[in-house]
Amino acid sequence: MASSSASNDRYTLYGAPGSGATPVHAALTLIGAQVDVVDVSPWEGESERERVSSINPMRQVPALVLPSGEVMTESAAILIWLGDRYPEAGLCPTPDDPLRARYLRWMVYLPAAIYSMYWVRDEPTRLTPDPAAQAVMLERTAERIAHCWHLMDTQIDEPAPYLLGEKLSMLDLYVTVLSRWTPHRKRFYREAPRMAGVVRRVDADPRLAEFWAARFPFSMG
Ligand SMILES: N[C@@H](CCC(=O)N[C@@H](CS)C(=O)NCC(=O)O)C(=O)O
């Protein structure tokens, strides 16, 4: 899938294994670009957050330094930009493709409805010092995430075999990684039976086997 222009492009990606940098890294792997990785885990505490603060004042990953030197944050924006930058990789519908509206809808739904919940979950003390309230927040955000997966699953077309049809897209990579997080795949499979087959397919994609093993080993089928 790599084109000669992609293989000449060099990126620096901030984000530890299993983080939101993972779908970005998976996309860059399929695109065939060069990636220097800086493993940072901001959810582990202040010192890790400080390590990324000069690159992203939000002190979050992923952050991607483009070949131009510009820094991009926001996982969905990065994935959409990469998809458009490397059309030959075929990882997104082009702007005039009828599937584009659906693609953008769900690419924005994921960070707005689901990924945003992890800011609370990563450090519940940011919203309340009360341990009992923190426990409630953890439980309710997990339920909210599960419900949002369910709502997405009931509104998508039957995957054929991917979320946008025949071709694997950025959307499949994004859902595959986010669905591994709390409340985890067992619950995801129950809430989102249509998407269950998609994420299993992406988990098992031979083009990503080495990548998954190195950056987000995952065994649940
Ligand atoms: N809106 C951001 C969210 C990024 C995000 O929440 N990243 C997590 C890691 S997966 C993080 O850095 N959490 C640490 C924190 O928020 O303190 C995106 O979509 O990229």
Side-chain angles (χ1 to χ4, degrees):
M1 224 180 233
S3 73
S4 55
S5 84
S7 59
N8 289 332
D9 289 345
R10 189 167 203 119
Y11 292 84
T12 302
L13 178 61
Y14 289 76
S19 72
T22 314
V24 173
H25 199 168
L28 286 164
T29 302
L30 293 176
I31 286 165
Q34 301 175 58
V35 190
D36 298 315
V37 177
V38 182
D39 282 338
V40 190
S41 321
W43 62 91
E44 282 178 355
E46 274 306 296
S47 62
E48 285 295 288
R49 287 198 269 276
E50 270 313 301
R51 285 183 61 214
V52 77
S53 62
S54 63
I55 297 291
N56 180 9
M58 286 285 275
R59 308 198 303 169
Q60 293 181 328
V61 297
L64 185 69
V65 186
L66 308 184
S68 66
E70 180 168 345
V71 174
M72 266 194 99
T73 65
E74 306 312 316
S75 50
I78 295 171
L79 291 168
I80 292 167
W81 184 86
L82 286 172
D84 291 346
R85 167 76 185 81
Y86 301 103
E88 64 281 5
L91 291 170
C92 71
T94 54
D96 57 351
D97 188 314
L99 288 169
R100 183 76 174 188
R102 195 175 304 171
Y103 169 65
L104 291 179
R105 176 187 179 194
W106 296 117
M107 287 299 286
V108 173
Y109 176 87
L110 293 171
I114 294 179
Y115 199 168
S116 54
M117 292 291 120
Y118 295 91
W119 184 81
V120 177
R121 300 188 55 79
D122 283 349
E123 191 59 79
T125 55
R126 289 193 275 219
L127 290 181
T128 173
D130 175 7
Q134 289 164 19
V136 171
M137 276 171 29
L138 287 175
E139 198 212 309
R140 292 197 181 164
T141 49
E143 287 307 309
R144 172 70 181 165
I145 293 165
H147 184 58
C148 289
W149 283 129
H150 181 69
L151 291 180
M152 180 175 176
D153 202 67
T154 56
Q155 293 176 84
I156 57 160
D157 285 354
E158 191 64 47
Y162 295 105
L163 292 170
L164 298 177
E166 283 173 22
K167 284 195 288 190
L168 179 147
S169 76
M170 296 295 188
L171 187 58
D172 301 294
L173 297 175
Y174 209 10
V175 170
T176 297
V177 173
L178 267 54
S179 62
R180 293 182 184 187
W181 299 347
T182 308
H184 304 296
R185 279 289 180 80
K186 207 171 160 192
R187 180 76 188 270
F188 176 82
Y189 294 149
R190 216 164 64 227
E191 301 288 347
R194 288 175 164 184
M195 294 198 285
V198 175
V199 296
R200 287 187 171 114
R201 190 166 291 112
V202 181
D203 288 341
D205 191 311
R207 294 167 297 174
L208 290 169
E210 216 175 294
F211 168 76
W212 289 134
R215 299 302 298 177
F216 199 177
F218 184 73
S219 57
M220 183 170 195

